[in-house]
């Protein structure tokens, strides 16, 4: 999709969700699944070894039971965290968590785990900046002295993303007084 096509869709529907690059989202998902598998395998192996060391199978010692219970709780927490990160990565792959949402009301930087809403209304946006950092251009949506950073590795390259956001700002912002 070109910037002109995206602006036409935004003008027509009043909504445009810019997704993450597919290969970046898939790589993030694969990494999250590998981390989840590692936590499960290493954690279970550690619990089995702890079971053997504390001698819980023969005669349970209250201190050994307490140590085992704490370790099992920590493992459950780590598995839950790794599973949550994998679910968020899956949401990026299928487009449920876009990196940027532009509406007629304003712009929202997508965040994992929640639906993006117009967090910066167009009348409050003072400017759209493009900052060159090393080899990437980062787009900032400025509201007074505060700025929201648009995530990198979206469907549009850096310069096209800047053109899209600044054009949307000019399209929906009220004229200066």
């Amino acid at each position: 999709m070109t910037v002109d096509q995206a602006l036409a869709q935004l003008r027509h529907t009043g909504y445009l969700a810019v997704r993450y690059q597919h290969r970046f989202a898939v790589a993030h998902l694969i990494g999250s699944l590998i981390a989840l598998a590692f936590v499960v395998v290493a954690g279970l192996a550690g619990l089995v070894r702890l079971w053997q060391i504390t001698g819980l199978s023969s005669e349970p010692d209250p201190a050994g039971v307490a140590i085992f219970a704490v370790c099992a709780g920590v493992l459950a927490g780590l598995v839950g965290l790794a599973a949550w990160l994998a679910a968020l990565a899956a949401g990026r792959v299928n487009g449920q968590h876009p990196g940027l949402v532009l509406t007629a009301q304003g712009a929202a930087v997508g965040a994992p785990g929640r639906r993006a809403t117009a967090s910066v209304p167009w009348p409050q946006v003072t400017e759209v900046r493009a900052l060159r950092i090393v080899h990437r251009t980062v787009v900032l949506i400025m509201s007074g002295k505060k700025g929201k950073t648009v995530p990198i590795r979206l469907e549009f390259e850096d310069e096209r993303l800047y053109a899209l956001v600044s054009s949307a700002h000019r399209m929906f912002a009220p004229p200066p007084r």
Side-chain angles (χ1 to χ4, degrees):
M1 177 184 298
T2 66
V3 173
D4 293 332
Q5 291 170 337
L7 287 172
Q9 177 185 342
L10 178 60
R11 192 177 299 115
H12 179 70
T13 64
Y15 180 85
L16 177 68
V18 182
R19 295 172 151 191
Y20 288 92
Q21 291 174 358
H22 186 70
R23 70 171 192 243
F24 170 72
V26 168
H28 192 246
L29 177 62
I30 291 170
S32 297
L33 292 175
I34 289 171
L36 176 62
F38 176 77
V39 167
V40 168
V41 170
L44 289 178
L47 283 180
V48 167
R49 183 67 183 136
L50 185 62
W51 180 275
Q52 293 170 347
I53 291 172
T54 57
L56 292 179
S57 57
S58 59
E59 56 182 70
D61 178 30
V65 172
I67 291 172
F68 186 81
V70 167
C71 290
V74 169
L75 176 61
L78 290 175
V79 168
L81 177 64
W84 180 69
L85 292 174
L88 293 179
R92 282 184 176 179
V93 169
N94 63 20
Q96 290 176 342
H97 304 297
L100 174 68
V101 175
L102 301 174
T103 65
Q105 290 77 33
V109 175
R114 70 168 175 84
R115 199 164 192 65
T117 58
S119 60
V120 183
W122 291 122
Q124 293 179 5
V125 174
T126 55
E127 69 176 314
V128 177
R129 291 185 186 170
L131 297 176
R132 187 83 176 150
I133 299 175
V134 187
H135 65 280
R136 303 275 331 191
T137 300
V138 177
V139 179
L140 288 174
I141 301 172
M142 300 300 295
S143 175
K145 292 184 180 181
K146 294 181 181 177
K148 289 233 179 231
T149 305
V150 177
I152 58 174
R153 300 193 197 305
L154 297 178
E155 287 178 318
F156 294 100
E157 294 93 29
D158 298 337
E159 289 77 20
R160 288 180 41 205
L161 185 64
Y162 171 72
L164 174 68
V165 175
S166 60
S167 296
H169 177 239
R170 285 191 303 274
M171 184 186 318
F172 291 114
R177 296 178 183 175

